[in-house]
Amino acid sequence: MFLSIQQRFILNTLKKLNCVRRRQLHALVRGQFQQEGFEVTQARMDAMLRQLRAGTADMRMDDGLVWLSNAQPDSRRLEAVDVMIELTGGKPQEFGPSREPPRLLRFAYGDDGLRPFTVASLDAAPAELLKRGKAERIVWIADNGVPPKGLTLPPKHFFAARQPDGTHRFYGSNGP
């Protein structure tokens, strides 16, 4: 099957993340290809996904999700992807899952040099247990979307509080 570069990007994204929301995938594809003069409308995105589903045996779509057949939706990872899209405007230069709990997702972006970020789950481990790389910034999320009472974060750590509309409000640490 011949795939467009956008469809190859979609499949590579699914191989990295296993499962994403359709709107997340659309934002990532739009962010990746928008600057090249190629507008990725919702109709175009739907057509690419239908073609991929018809030609790829292990791609599934249902209820707003797109996933590979061997993957299970992970609400923490889906929220981590939302955080990444918000922070990068849908244009991360690099991204991929992390298999080191409490880390969920790693990504990098920046116009004046790549800045690495990690999205981690506070429900999987307390913030003080996670050691960060020298240039890395850590964004914490919680299952309930609310920062725990008395949460104190080390420098270059942030908390992403989920808002009722699904976006996040970011709270930073005090210090250098």
Side-chain angles (χ1 to χ4, degrees), residues 76-77 79-81 83-84 87-88 92 94-109 115-122 127 130-141 153 155-160 170:
R76 289 179 182 168
R77 174 83 47 81
E79 185 169 0
V81 173
V83 168
M84 175 183 70
L87 289 175
T88 65
E94 300 172 8
F95 63 91
S98 178
R99 308 275 187 243
E100 310 163 19
R103 287 178 164 90
L104 299 167
L105 179 70
R106 291 178 178 216
F107 65 94
Y109 86 104
R115 288 178 276 179
F117 282 79
T118 294
V119 181
S121 171
L122 262 178
L130 185 63
K131 302 295 181 216
R132 69 175 189 84
K134 185 176 180 179
E136 180 181 34
R137 290 161 178 81
I138 311 269
V139 181
W140 293 94
I141 59 174
L153 295 172
K156 305 234 179 181
H157 287 242
F158 305 88
F159 184 83
F170 298 92

Side-chain angles (χ1 to χ4, degrees), residues 25-138:
L25 189 56
H26 186 207
L28 290 169
V29 172
R30 193 174 52 237
Q32 179 72 22
F33 297 100
Q34 184 177 26
Q35 67 273 14
E36 296 176 15
F38 179 81
E39 184 179 348
V40 182
T41 63
Q42 186 63 52
R44 186 172 278 167
M45 185 70 185
D46 290 342
M48 287 188 289
L49 289 174
R50 278 192 311 273
Q51 290 168 352
L52 281 171
R53 186 179 62 193
T56 307
D58 67 335
M59 188 180 127
R60 306 281 186 257
M61 294 188 310
D62 187 27
D63 200 29
L65 296 174
V66 181
W67 72 96
L68 296 178
S69 61
N70 60 346
Q72 294 295 316
D74 178 346
S75 61
R76 289 179 182 168
R77 174 83 47 81
L78 291 171
E79 185 169 0
V81 173
D82 279 338
V83 168
M84 175 183 70
I85 290 170
E86 288 177 52
L87 289 175
T88 65
K91 299 177 185 181
Q93 276 88 1
E94 300 172 8
F95 63 91
S98 178
R99 308 275 187 243
E100 310 163 19
R103 287 178 164 90
L104 299 167
L105 179 70
R106 291 178 178 216
F107 65 94
Y109 86 104
D111 295 330
D112 56 343
L114 291 182
R115 288 178 276 179
F117 282 79
T118 294
V119 181
S121 171
L122 262 178
D123 298 301
E128 58 273 0
L129 292 181
L130 185 63
K131 302 295 181 216
R132 69 175 189 84
K134 185 176 180 179
E136 180 181 34
R137 290 161 178 81
I138 311 269

